Amino acid sequence: MTHSISPAIAKRLIVALDYPNVEEARVIIEHLQGIPCTLKVGMQLFYSAGPDFIRELKSKGYSVFLDLKMHDIPNTVKGGAHSITRLGVDLFNVHASGGRKMMEAAVEGMESALTADTSLQRPLLIAVTQLTSTSQQVMNQEIGIQGTVEYAVVHYARLAQQSGLGGVVCSPLEVSMIQQACGTSFATITPGVRPAGSDIGDQTRILTPGQAIAGGSDYLVVGRPITGAHDPREATEQIIEEMSLHVND
């Protein structure tokens, strides 16, 4: 990695380990060795590898985003948040559409784990607003939520903040609206980031890494442009370079 790039900037890049098993995930981690990025473990990998893989990543010094998007009755989410916090993750999430009581229960579960074990770090608990694969047509006609995607996202962001969460997952296109509604200290974690010229896949609301950072995104989530690259390390370094050029002082 270029020496002029701060590790603090690299940490703001979340590399999505979207793999079916530990063996494949470890291959990409080997490519990225020495780059202090954050690693995201989603449903597919976590359901295959389990909590031990999270502990393995933490033992190697990585920051970890456990992306399970919990959405259930409040008591179940409370228990899930307690268990996740005990793993020592740095970020985890719930669906804001679960409502205020559910999100408050997630906070309670996190706090109970921190109280029971004071050696644990406090993770950043965030809420998913609308998936970046969701278009307005899908939201209106299939999910049954009326109005614009932007209105729904800001509404969910305010609800998450009122529930005691520290930020939201959103499109980079919606960061400025969320900052206006919730303030700049309310974190924005943005998938839907694609380097110029890359395949957008199933994403619909996207920006480049530089545009996302310049627009105020706190963390960028990037998967296939890195994991599917011919040289994943070079792709990662190029994204971090681009991020560093657009960080607001």
Side-chain angles (χ1 to χ4, degrees):
M1 186 172 61
T2 304
H3 293 296
S4 61
I5 295 179
S6 165
I9 297 174
K11 187 176 181 179
R12 293 173 63 181
L13 173 62
I14 301 176
V15 178
L17 301 179
D18 293 331
Y19 294 102
N21 55 62
V22 167
E23 291 73 25
E24 292 185 46
R26 285 176 179 149
V27 171
I28 192 71
I29 292 170
E30 185 67 25
H31 280 292
L32 303 181
Q33 187 173 3
I35 300 177
C37 54
T38 298
L39 300 179
K40 181 175 84 71
V41 176
M43 296 180 190
Q44 183 182 27
L45 182 56
F46 186 75
Y47 295 158
S48 169
D52 284 346
F53 184 60
I54 303 298
R55 298 185 183 101
E56 176 184 327
L57 295 179
K58 291 303 299 180
S59 71
K60 293 179 178 178
Y62 283 106
S63 294
V64 176
F65 172 19
L66 184 54
D67 179 23
L68 299 183
K69 301 182 180 71
M70 288 190 291
H71 187 175
D72 212 314
I73 63 171
N75 193 58
T76 298
V77 170
K78 179 179 178 179
H82 182 96
S83 296
I84 288 172
T85 301
R86 287 182 60 83
L87 285 176
V89 302
D90 300 85
L91 302 93
F92 72 100
N93 56 8
V94 300
H95 265 292
S97 57
R100 184 163 181 167
K101 286 186 177 180
M102 188 204 77
M103 288 190 282
E104 289 176 341
V107 174
E108 291 175 10
M110 177 182 71
E111 294 291 353
S112 68
L114 295 171
T115 299
D117 185 351
T118 57
S119 70
L120 292 170
Q121 63 176 347
R122 177 177 295 275
L124 178 61
L125 173 53
I126 57 180
V128 177
T129 53
Q130 286 292 333
L131 299 174
T132 51
S133 60
T134 301
S135 65
Q136 184 164 319
Q137 180 183 7
V138 168
M139 190 185 80
N140 294 161
Q141 298 181 12
E142 298 180 19
I143 301 175
I145 298 175
Q146 299 307 306
T148 64
V149 171
E150 291 79 11
Y151 174 82
V153 166
V154 172
H155 171 74
Y156 280 142
R158 286 196 178 108
L159 189 64
Q161 188 176 48
Q162 293 164 5
S163 302
L165 277 65
V168 288
V169 181
C170 63
S171 162
L173 295 169
E174 296 143 4
V175 168
S176 63
M177 291 181 289
I178 290 171
Q179 289 180 337
Q180 289 174 11
C182 302
T184 56
S185 62
F186 191 66
T188 50
I189 292 81
T190 56
V193 175
R194 290 288 186 271
S198 64
D199 182 10
I200 67 171
D202 54 5
Q203 305 284 2
T204 63
R205 308 194 318 275
I206 63 173
L207 289 179
T208 67
Q211 290 170 332
I213 286 291
S217 293
D218 293 300
Y219 292 90
L220 311 187
V221 181
V222 181
R224 284 163 284 186
I226 290 174
T227 59
H230 174 70
D231 186 338
R233 186 179 189 87
E234 180 181 5
T236 302
E237 291 177 340
Q238 288 177 351
I239 290 172
I240 296 171
E241 287 272 17
E242 182 178 345
M243 290 169 63
S244 70
L245 295 174
H246 292 84
V247 171
N248 295 319
D249 295 329

